[in-house]
Amino acid sequence: MNVAKHFAPVPPSSAAELPMSDVLGLSRNPAFDPTRLRGDEYAELAQASRNRMLANALVAVFVASIFVPLIGLVFVLPWAGVLAAILYKSRQTDLMLVDTEYRIAPAALERSQNLNSVGSALCWVAAVLVFPALADGAQAITMLLVALVLMVSSTFVFSTSPLSVLIYIGILGAGAMASLALAGEWQAMGGAILFTIASLVATIQVRSTFVKARLAEAAVLEKEAVVSLLLREFEENEADWLWEIDPARRLRSVSPRFAFALGRSQGDVEGKPLLEMVSGRNWESGQFPASLHDLAERLKNRENFSNMLVQVSILGEERWWELSGTPMRDELGRFTGFRGVGSDVTEQRNSSEKIAYLARYDTLTQLPNRLHLTETLGEALRYAVQWRTRCALLMVDLDRFKAVNDSLGHMTGDKLLAQVSARLQSLMGENQLCGRLGGDEFAIVIRDASTQGVVRDLARRVIDRLSEPYQVDHNTLYVGASVGSAEGPRDGTSVEEMMRNADLALYRAKDMGGGEHCRFEQELHASAEERRSLEASLRKALGRDELVLHYQPVVDARSESVVGFEALVRWNSADHGFVSPAKFIPLAEDTRLIVPIGQWVMRKACHEARHWPEHVKVNVNVSPEQLLEPGFHDDVVQALAVSGLKPERLEIEVTESIFLRDASVARNALEQVMALGCSVALDDFGTGYSSLGYLRKLRFSTIKVDRTFVQGAAQGSAESLAIINAVVAMAQSLKMTTTAEGVETADEAELIRNLGCDKIQGYYFGRPMPADDARSLFDLMRERRA
């Protein structure tokens, strides 16, 4: 995008049209004030003044050395004293200019400079005329040469008052002419006249060139300031146009893009009040949105603002703008208006609202998701501690739901979950909130559980209601429910404690055969013991070579050719048999065993990817625990170096949960990996936590759309379709690709392809497979091509 066309800063005036009065400092035009133009050189004035004083002193000594033997000290000494006094006075005037306290009256200081120049020049003229006459004409030529040297040097002398230099040269030239006229040297006098005129013209030309250069520099600096502001806002906030108002808050220097955003021509909006242009019909009534009132206050108080969201009305249409602005002041500190940048973020805001809903609600059941539930539970705990009451958390898990999913498919299972959600919602009373944690697991938060038996009664009603038969697609289905509960702050003072203890109670209820409610008790150690046993075996898994990687293909949505594999770890334990990743991965993360396991997975996956074609990537899942490790970057570098895999072929997959703990550390770790050339994908987008802010700050290469949205879209869910469209549009605007997960049928693949996703992953194209089977895919492709 050509940034230059967004603005047109105007220099104070054209340098080619400088009036002579401004060049010589005779006028008080602020735009051409010599004091203002040369303000940045005042620091050098003291040294230049000293040098001028020393140069005059050296010439005076030279003159004295010549004429003292000829006419004596009686004439030379008084002359030298007067010259020294004038030079001292001139230096004091220059020092006043250096001192900021005296810059408030530049005209008076310039008059003083002019008088000093007159005095100094007359003193030298006296020497030129008188000294040779007293010496019977001796050394007259020498004094003329001294005068000419002083005139030439004055042409380039440093002075904030060019008029004083002209006066100095003019008087010296007149003295030289008088000396030659007295000697009868008329031709030489003509030469002196020409020399004087040339010196005056040269002085004016030097000064004019200087002023023009300064004006050009000022214009360039102004343009650079505007460009810097625009570029900074473009890079950081994706700004779109420049706006500027005068002290009366009227628009000025309206750019074409800003006029287009206002829906009018530049001429129609130039000089019009900004608020009138953006408030629409509300201008007459004064009934503005709160954001416009906030903008008006900032402008009134002359305050900086950045990334302010403002609701505007453009030609009757409600839009959202993001504005940044800074008050402008001139060199005297006077307020001259506002300048800033802005962009129309209406579409982004609409998409953000949909995705924000996705971040807090489960799209399948329309219930609050895990994030929403944990926030509500945290508030309930704080309320219970503050008012010395009790709150409660009930974890609900469906019994026999897996059998329904396996026998009738995920679509039927999702419809069943929707009915379960409706039944749960119907049971909620005041201060009670139910939500879906994931899969077939739900939770209920009771804000006030101080009434005796309220938890037990609600748990029983949940079990009874969810155990009633369901009608799904002409099938009568029977599932039950198990409930585990914990009361706070007795059973936990934090969200994590409450969820862990309620989960332990739920395990006990499931162990009892399902359809039961179990309260958390300190004696609940059975599940914890099993967990410890599993943890002990997991610690030995790497040493026993029990872990193995399987690879699930990722295909191009258009060509259906394999463009990558996702590496998935599997555990076949000697003690426990095959252990589901859903069971041992969370355990590994809780015990930080995920760090050595993750390092092994990284090395193994990179090594295996070396046997694939050059265009095929390997995707490696990385947990938040790994990202928080200081040596994560070194682990990636070592895996790439040992395997010889190009960094461009490694894609790191992370979930939104990485931003929950130490977001800055996670972001720095990912940025270091991206600097190597690796790409980063955001997995399970929208299923847990909102990461909208990080999508702008961290440039992910891929957003993976969770299977729940794919399934919803396949079922014709308008919300799922809208969300996928919003995610695809957002990814395209951020120059990211999208991968749809969980595609299981040809119809789903075609739907996802039409929705604009770039890549597809799911059982339809291949289940996770051993490394040899993955290699055989490429062998088969080569055979087909042959």
Side-chain angles (χ1 to χ4, degrees):
M1 181 180 293
N2 186 2
V3 178
K5 67 182 180 182
H6 291 293
F7 63 93
V10 181
S13 179
S14 173
E17 301 173 356
L18 286 179
M20 187 58 64
S21 60
D22 290 328
V23 173
L24 299 181
L26 298 176
S27 65
R28 296 262 57 89
N29 186 346
F32 308 105
D33 182 9
T35 304
R36 183 185 73 84
L37 288 172
R38 306 188 70 168
D40 58 339
E41 295 181 358
Y42 277 128
E44 303 175 10
L45 181 57
Q47 181 179 356
S49 174
R50 184 181 66 248
N51 293 340
R52 184 174 67 247
M53 186 175 180
L54 291 175
N56 274 268
L58 289 175
V59 175
V61 169
F62 171 74
V63 170
S65 66
I66 294 174
F67 285 98
V68 166
L70 298 176
I71 62 176
L73 283 173
V74 66
F75 294 102
V76 176
L77 191 60
W79 170 83
V82 171
L83 179 63
I86 294 173
L87 292 175
Y88 176 78
K89 181 69 170 87
S90 179
R91 175 162 173 76
Q92 293 300 110
T93 302
D94 290 340
L95 293 178
M96 290 179 187
L97 282 170
V98 174
D99 191 342
T100 56
E101 294 181 1
Y102 290 94
R103 293 188 196 175
I104 58 175
L109 294 177
E110 289 170 12
R111 284 194 298 271
S112 179
Q113 281 186 320
N114 294 339
L115 292 176
N116 293 336
S117 296
V118 170
S120 178
L122 289 175
C123 194
W124 281 109
V125 167
V128 170
L129 296 176
V130 175
F131 286 359
L134 293 176
D136 297 326
Q139 302 296 335
I141 299 301
T142 301
M143 288 307 298
L144 283 173
L145 291 175
V146 168
L148 295 179
V149 168
L150 291 173
M151 291 169 64
V152 171
S153 62
S154 297
T155 301
F156 305 99
V157 73
F158 185 98
S159 174
T160 58
S161 178
L163 184 60
S164 65
V165 179
L166 295 178
I167 292 172
Y168 187 81
I169 293 175
I171 294 175
L172 282 178
M177 295 177 222
S179 175
L180 292 170
L182 292 174
E185 299 289 339
W186 303 108
Q187 292 179 339
M189 186 184 74
I193 292 174
L194 294 176
F195 186 87
T196 302
I197 294 173
S199 297
L200 292 173
V201 172
T203 300
I204 295 173
Q205 187 62 38
V206 168
R207 180 62 184 176
S208 179
T209 302
F210 168 79
V211 172
K212 290 178 181 179
R214 286 298 174 181
L215 288 176
E217 290 176 8
V220 169
L221 289 175
E222 182 178 357
K223 290 181 180 179
E224 289 178 349
V226 174
V227 171
S228 297
L229 176 64
L230 275 176
L231 290 179
R232 183 170 64 252
E233 292 292 343
F234 262 87
E235 294 171 354
E236 298 177 357
N237 302 315
E238 301 175 357
D240 202 19
W241 25 257
L242 177 74
W243 61 272
E244 185 174 332
I245 58 175
D246 61 17
R249 288 173 257 176
R250 294 186 299 263
L251 292 169
R252 67 184 179 194
S253 303
V254 178
S255 67
R257 290 182 66 87
F258 187 31
F260 179 79
L262 290 169
R264 297 174 172 85
S265 66
Q266 289 176 265
D268 290 341
V269 298
E270 188 74 31
K272 297 291 182 63
L274 171 62
L275 293 179
E276 179 182 351
M277 292 294 97
V278 300
S279 59
R281 289 186 294 268
N282 295 326
W283 175 254
E284 298 297 334
S285 63
Q287 301 297 320
F288 301 149
S291 56
L292 268 184
H293 277 293
D294 191 17
L295 173 62
E297 283 298 313
R298 297 292 184 92
L299 297 177
K300 177 182 177 182
N301 297 330
R302 302 175 182 176
E303 298 176 357
N304 288 319
F305 54 90
S306 179
N307 301 332
M308 177 187 290
L309 277 177
V310 180
Q311 184 180 358
V312 300
S313 178
I314 306 300
L315 301 181
E317 181 184 2
E318 298 299 322
R319 309 288 296 178
W320 284 93
W321 286 1
E322 187 177 76
L323 297 176
S324 299
T326 302
M328 298 184 297
R329 300 186 183 277
D330 60 16
E331 66 280 354
L332 300 178
R334 294 174 298 194
F335 175 69
T336 60
F338 265 85
R339 176 182 290 159
V341 289
S343 59
D344 190 316
V345 294
T346 306
E347 301 303 325
Q348 296 93 315
R349 181 179 173 84
N350 292 340
S351 298
S352 297
E353 287 178 351
K354 291 181 180 179
I355 300 175
Y357 175 87
L358 158 69
R360 298 177 60 82
Y361 287 87
D362 178 66
T363 55
L364 174 63
T365 63
Q366 310 305 315
L367 293 179
N369 64 5
R370 180 182 293 270
L371 174 62
H372 197 165
L373 284 168
T374 55
E375 289 177 348
T376 304
L377 179 57
E379 294 171 1
L381 278 170
R382 288 189 290 272
Y383 180 86
V385 172
Q386 180 180 359
W387 298 105
R388 298 183 181 277
T389 62
R390 291 200 302 270
C391 64
L393 173 66
L394 284 71
M395 303 279 277
V396 181
D397 189 81
L398 299 183
D399 301 330
R400 301 178 299 279
F401 176 76
K402 186 176 184 299
V404 174
N405 245 0
D406 292 343
S407 60
L408 300 178
H410 291 296
M411 293 181 63
T412 301
D414 289 346
K415 293 179 181 178
L416 175 59
L417 288 175
Q419 292 191 27
V420 169
S421 303
R423 292 187 183 185
L424 272 177
Q425 189 69 39
S426 67
L427 296 174
M428 294 301 100
E430 188 178 0
N431 292 325
Q432 296 175 356
L433 176 74
C434 67
R436 183 185 179 208
L437 296 175
D440 62 341
E441 192 171 9
F442 299 82
I444 300 171
V445 176
I446 304 177
R447 181 181 177 89
D448 185 1
S450 55
T451 303
Q452 186 70 25
V454 63
V455 175
R456 181 184 66 250
D457 294 343
L458 179 58
R460 178 44 54 190
R461 284 189 285 121
V462 167
I463 293 172
D464 292 343
R465 186 75 177 94
L466 298 187
S467 299
E468 295 176 3
Y470 299 84
Q471 293 295 327
V472 180
D473 293 339
H474 309 291
N475 296 311
T476 302
L477 305 178
Y478 295 89
V479 294
S482 300
V483 179
S485 64
E487 296 183 13
R490 184 195 67 185
D491 298 334
T493 57
S494 68
V495 172
E496 292 76 14
E497 276 188 285
M498 290 286 289
M499 297 192 75
R500 182 172 62 248
N501 292 339
D503 209 27
L504 284 175
L506 177 61
Y507 283 138
R508 166 62 66 87
K510 300 286 282 187
D511 290 341
M512 294 168 63
E516 297 290 341
H517 166 229
C518 182
R519 295 174 53 188
F520 172 76
E521 298 174 358
Q522 296 297 331
E523 295 79 22
L524 283 177
H525 296 298
S527 58
E529 184 60 36
E530 179 188 1
R531 177 186 173 89
R532 281 194 295 271
S533 175
L534 202 62
E535 179 185 339
S537 299
L538 186 59
R539 292 186 181 278
K540 304 173 185 176
L542 279 175
R544 294 176 175 178
D545 201 21
E546 295 176 350
L547 298 180
V548 65
L549 288 186
H550 284 191
Y551 302 89
Q552 185 174 27
V554 179
V555 303
D556 182 87
R558 300 298 172 190
S559 65
E560 295 191 357
S561 60
V562 177
V563 295
F565 282 94
E566 181 177 0
L568 302 168
V569 65
R570 298 292 184 258
W571 181 25
N572 190 8
S573 171
D575 302 323
H576 304 278
F578 177 79
V579 183
S580 168
K583 194 170 186 179
F584 77 81
I585 292 295
L587 175 62
E589 289 180 338
D590 290 343
T591 57
R592 295 187 59 77
L593 289 172
I594 195 66
V595 175
I597 292 175
Q599 293 170 344
W600 177 84
V601 170
M602 185 75 69
R603 294 193 299 269
K604 190 75 173 177
C606 290
H607 181 269
E608 180 61 29
R610 287 281 289 131
H611 301 286
W612 304 339
E614 284 295 317
H615 71 281
V616 178
K617 286 187 175 185
V618 61
N619 295 27
V620 178
N621 293 281
V622 174
S623 75
E625 294 292 337
Q626 289 177 264
L627 286 178
L628 295 179
E629 282 291 307
F632 175 71
H633 171 262
D634 296 333
D635 294 339
V636 176
V637 172
Q638 184 179 11
L640 292 172
V642 172
S643 64
L645 185 70
K646 295 180 179 178
E648 295 80 10
R649 295 183 60 194
L650 174 61
E651 185 166 71
I652 303 297
E653 288 194 14
V654 297
T655 62
E656 298 169 294
S657 60
I658 64 170
F659 302 120
L660 277 184
R661 294 179 57 185
D662 197 331
S664 60
V665 174
R667 179 184 172 189
N668 290 336
L670 292 176
E671 286 177 343
Q672 289 180 336
V673 171
M674 293 166 69
L676 295 175
C678 303
S679 53
V680 178
L682 184 59
D683 197 6
D684 296 338
F685 179 71
T687 57
Y689 310 98
S690 171
S691 60
L692 302 180
Y694 295 95
L695 289 179
R696 292 177 61 185
K697 299 178 181 177
L698 191 62
R699 290 295 180 184
F700 293 97
S701 62
T702 302
I703 297 178
K704 302 191 75 173
V705 181
D706 189 69
R707 64 173 298 275
T708 56
F709 310 131
V710 175
Q711 302 297 327
Q715 297 170 25
S717 168
E719 186 66 24
S720 294
L721 288 169
I723 289 172
I724 294 178
N725 277 322
V727 172
V728 170
M730 179 183 64
Q732 289 175 347
S733 67
L734 295 174
K735 295 181 174 54
M736 303 176 186
T737 61
T738 48
T739 300
E741 298 181 298
V743 175
E744 299 181 357
T745 65
D747 291 339
E748 292 178 0
E750 183 63 23
L751 173 63
I752 290 302
R753 187 180 296 112
N754 293 334
L755 288 174
C757 287
D758 302 291
K759 293 174 283 187
I760 304 177
Q761 180 179 353
Y763 286 176
Y764 177 68
F765 293 100
R767 293 175 176 268
M769 60 189 72
D772 293 339
D773 292 348
R775 293 190 198 181
S776 66
L777 285 181
F778 302 114
D779 295 336
L780 181 60
M781 291 170 58
R782 282 193 292 268
E783 291 175 4
R784 287 178 178 176
R785 286 196 297 269

